[in-house]
Amino acid sequence: MNVNTKHDFKPFNVDLWKHDGQAGALIPLLQSAQDTYGYISEAAIDHISHITGVPAAEIYGVVTFYAQFRTKPLGKYVIKVCNGTACHVNNAKPIADAVTDELGITYDETTDDGDFSMLSVACVGCCSLAPVVVINDETYGRLTPAKTRKVLREYKREAKKTQQEKDA
Amino acid sequence: MKTVKIGLGTCGISAGGEKVYQAFQEELKQHPEAFVLTETGCVGMCYREVLVEVSNGDGSEHVYGDVTPERVGQIVKEDVLNGSTIDDWLVTDKSEKGFFENQKRIVLRNCGIIDPGDIEQYIARNGYQALKHVLTLMTPGEVIDEITKSGLRGRGGGGFPTGLKWKFTHDAPGEKKYVICNADEGDPGAFMDRSVLEGDPNTVLEGMIIAGYAIGADEGYIYCRAEYPKAIARLRQAIAQAKKRGFLGYNLFGTSFSFNVKIKEGAGAFVCGEETALIHSIEGKRGMPRFRPPFPAQSGLWGKPTNINNVETFANIPWIMLNGGDAYAAFGTENSKGTKVFAMAGKVKRSGLVEVPMGITINEIIFDICGGIVGDRKFKAVQMGGPSGGCIPADMCDIQIDYQQINKTGAIMGSGGLVVMDETTCMVDVAKFFLTFTQSESCGKCTFCRIGTKRMLEILERITDGQGSMEDLDNLEELSHQIGESSLCGLGQTAPNPVLTTLKHFRHEYEAHIIEKKCPAHVCSPLLTYTIDENCNGCTACARACPTDAITGEKKQLHVINQDACIKCGKCFTVCRFDAVIKD
């Protein structure tokens, strides 16, 4: 087996494979790759295939089976709209519509400037605050469409500000 | 010395617990000798988070609810430093009437009481006593007998007798066996397992080790959702501490028995709650179920005999071994023993976690323990068992929590998600919600599940769009039966349940959508009428958003929707920042 030396993949923990020694380490390897790069690139799949001997197609099959794995990078701000049962019966849909309307993206999409991504999650565990949206690590509860817009506009301002600082 | 304890389960953190904790840390810098700051898991009162408990050091304590960082200064100044409680913010027996007195806490006995990051606090509450007793004084057969006597059934949803499951794995030939803890809580309205793992991880570990001894396994896996980072962190901490204290590892309590536990993070697939799919996932494959037999008890993880139980099942084990199977079986009904934890959510006043003895009625849980319906609106139904379960109408909610009685309604006990619905919930929409979930989570192996759920979903979408016909209802029923009969695993077999139960108990709502083109609960957008009320300040946002120019009005004047031109897309409702668009 030729080990691919074209890419520098040292940052993620390929030792997971050696330690476990069993096929079960494939998912932890992928998780480690995603933790390091934010998503799983084709190059990462090739690399993992080289280490493990598992065909790339099979790894791709595993990657696309599980909701956790992404094949595209996420935006700077990740908006997770809760669609758990409690949020659903407490009107989560208008909240998602408000996000889509404000940012022009829907689930699993990222804005062109790479600032925002929108994901659907089921139950973030604060059903008493339903409907809930989590932006990066911040939870916003008891939302209305109007409140959601207000929150998003603050983030937009922040994103613009950081961009301007970067440019300057 | 006084102790200040902050509820830092996921619910507490979501409500701002970490900021409250930081605020107390700031106060601690100014008054370093005044109190000790510590944390705990979820006590179940998610509706009052952030919860802060102040103990006086003499055994007396009191709890504040809805604490915000802004309130911290006052709590420290008045209570911690000067000893006078702020009565308006207190959580008392009176303010939470009925919440605790109607519960029986076995699984949750330590949740919200101990610091889950400190194994000594678990040990101080009889932790690992059961393990010691089992390893030094009992044979594996005796352990299995005791569990059988307790009448404990699998709490993950299947309800299979735990003692019998253990016996099968014990009796299976083979040197190497495994114990797996299923912590892949996928039901999108349930959070019992997460709270137990976050609030009392050691009780789950202890239960697993006892199971390992009973069936003859020396290795265990906890398969936990990656979406539960806090629970995983707690488990890692607990495993490390248990190893240090000699509760995990080799030759436990000086016996020849050894046991080690590994954590496997799930990667997000509802079907992995099914045991054969879960095993495939641990093995690094796509999590697709396979035909049974052979059952995991004969051929499971890497082809070895494997016993899989759910988090809550394991959490019961130490209590049963300490108090005896008979003590556990004293709670409940004839065929459902012990207690059950429910995650209460939806339109209920006190949402959170409750643990009740089997045999209590659904009405008692909702009204006596959880305080009834939000806004005292009319109670319509409960949904039990998540995407595999069904809806039980309000007039049937005097039935007992009992596997058989619940099955009779068409719902299932399930893992413990209990979603309360009132008159503002549309039952067709609820059925569509669950089917959307199962349809996207179907692994695709069985044709009926993969394509059948898709066809059912299309029919439901047609009905909620106002395009349905009465024939659709017959098709829904027929498809439901075919999918249920032709699918390999529980996901497909039970996927039609939410549709079947709503069709059975709320057929009139389906008919209202189809015949009158009305959604009685005002949920399904295409069947609604949109109007603008006096909250409108004439910002013109809705008029600009309307794709058919149906909204007219001068700037800073009340706007009006022309109903003939309105296509009911709901865009005006979404863009309005003043909540002035009303749907009816």
Side-chain angles (χ1 to χ4, degrees), chain B residues 536-545 551 553-557 559:
Chain B
C536 174
N537 67 359
C539 76
T540 72
C542 56
R544 278 179 282 133
I551 302 175
E554 292 296 313
K555 232 181 195 174
K556 294 186 179 165
Q557 299 292 317
H559 281 48

Side-chain angles (χ1 to χ4, degrees), chain B residues 348-408:
Chain B
V348 66
K349 276 185 188 158
R350 296 173 182 165
S351 56
L353 221 56
V354 302
E355 182 173 358
V356 292
M358 296 274 189
I360 192 171
T361 68
I362 297 176
N363 276 331
E364 281 173 303
I365 298 179
I366 294 172
F367 292 96
D368 297 349
I369 297 178
C370 294
I373 310 296
V374 176
D376 292 314
R377 283 193 293 258
K378 200 172 160 227
F379 171 40
K380 190 190 225 171
V382 289
Q383 209 283 345
M384 281 184 80
S388 306
C391 293
I392 304 174
D395 56 17
M396 287 174 81
C397 282
D398 53 357
I399 61 157
Q400 290 180 304
I401 296 293
D402 170 287
Y403 286 95
Q404 282 178 353
Q405 288 199 37
I406 292 170
N407 284 352
K408 266 187 213 157

Side-chain angles (χ1 to χ4, degrees), chain B residues 86-271:
Chain B
I86 309 163
D87 294 343
D88 286 353
W89 301 345
L90 275 185
V91 175
T92 60
D93 289 346
K94 213 175 138 199
S95 72
E96 314 307 313
K97 200 172 172 313
F99 188 75
F100 283 113
E101 48 274 43
N102 293 309
Q103 295 194 46
K104 171 68 202 164
R105 292 165 84 92
I106 291 177
V107 170
L108 304 178
R109 63 194 181 281
N110 294 322
C111 286
I113 295 167
I114 60 168
D115 177 353
D118 181 3
I119 196 171
E120 299 303 329
Q121 295 195 21
Y122 178 67
I123 294 169
R125 290 175 60 88
N126 291 330
Y128 291 105
Q129 286 292 320
L131 179 65
K132 187 180 175 190
H133 179 81
V134 163
L135 291 187
T136 52
L137 296 169
M138 293 175 84
T139 65
E142 285 168 349
V143 177
I144 293 173
D145 287 346
E146 203 61 40
I147 297 298
T148 309
K149 213 196 293 173
S150 75
L152 177 65
R153 293 168 66 166
R155 295 287 190 249
F160 192 81
T162 307
L164 199 58
K165 203 173 197 178
W166 287 17
K167 192 176 174 339
F168 286 150
T169 322
H170 174 266
D171 292 348
E175 279 294 301
K176 181 79 187 171
K177 293 177 186 176
Y178 293 100
V179 173
I180 296 177
C181 172
N182 182 351
D184 191 48
E185 190 171 48
D187 169 1
F191 46 89
M192 307 75 51
D193 294 349
R194 193 203 64 220
S195 294
V196 174
L197 292 172
E198 284 176 1
D200 193 10
N202 279 289
T203 191
V204 181
L205 283 183
E206 191 179 357
M208 281 182 78
I209 306 168
I210 293 171
Y213 177 72
I215 66 164
D218 64 352
E219 211 177 338
Y221 282 93
I222 302 175
Y223 186 85
C224 187
R225 287 182 81 184
E227 290 95 325
Y228 287 176
K230 182 99 188 170
I232 292 170
R234 285 289 184 227
L235 278 170
R236 288 195 201 290
Q237 211 176 11
I239 290 172
Q241 292 180 2
K243 269 189 189 152
K244 230 182 212 163
R245 289 289 311 236
F247 302 131
L248 274 175
Y250 298 97
N251 302 101
L252 306 178
F253 293 98
T255 65
S256 60
F257 176 68
S258 303
F259 197 80
N260 283 298
V261 172
K262 282 183 195 158
I263 300 173
K264 283 276 174 182
E265 286 181 43
F270 177 66
V271 71

Side-chain angles (χ1 to χ4, degrees), chain B residues 286-363:
Chain B
R286 286 163 71 97
M288 288 161 95
R290 64 160 170 78
F291 191 72
R292 297 178 302 178
F295 287 91
Q298 278 95 43
S299 175
L301 189 58
W302 289 301
K304 309 285 184 219
T306 304
N307 179 75
I308 304 182
N309 286 124
N310 159 272
V311 169
E312 193 186 330
T313 314
F314 282 126
N316 274 301
I317 305 293
W319 192 94
I320 294 173
M321 296 319 295
L322 272 184
N323 297 277
D326 289 333
Y328 191 79
F331 300 106
T333 62
E334 203 187 329
N335 58 56
S336 305
K337 304 292 187 194
T339 62
K340 179 79 195 86
V341 181
F342 287 104
M344 305 297 299
K347 309 283 174 101
V348 66
K349 276 185 188 158
R350 296 173 182 165
S351 56
L353 221 56
V354 302
E355 182 173 358
V356 292
M358 296 274 189
I360 192 171
T361 68
I362 297 176
N363 276 331

Side-chain angles (χ1 to χ4, degrees), chain B residues 545-565:
Chain B
C546 181
T548 57
D549 293 330
I551 302 175
T552 48
E554 292 296 313
K555 232 181 195 174
K556 294 186 179 165
Q557 299 292 317
L558 186 75
H559 281 48
V560 181
I561 301 177
N562 172 8
Q563 296 302 333
D564 293 333

Side-chain angles (χ1 to χ4, degrees), chain A residues 61 66-68 85 88 128 138, chain B residues 19 188 267-268 285-286 351 429:
Chain A
Y66 294 100
Q68 187 194 8
T85 317
H88 180 78
S128 52
E138 197 73 31
Chain B
K19 285 187 191 132
K285 300 173 193 154
R286 286 163 71 97
S351 56
D429 178 69

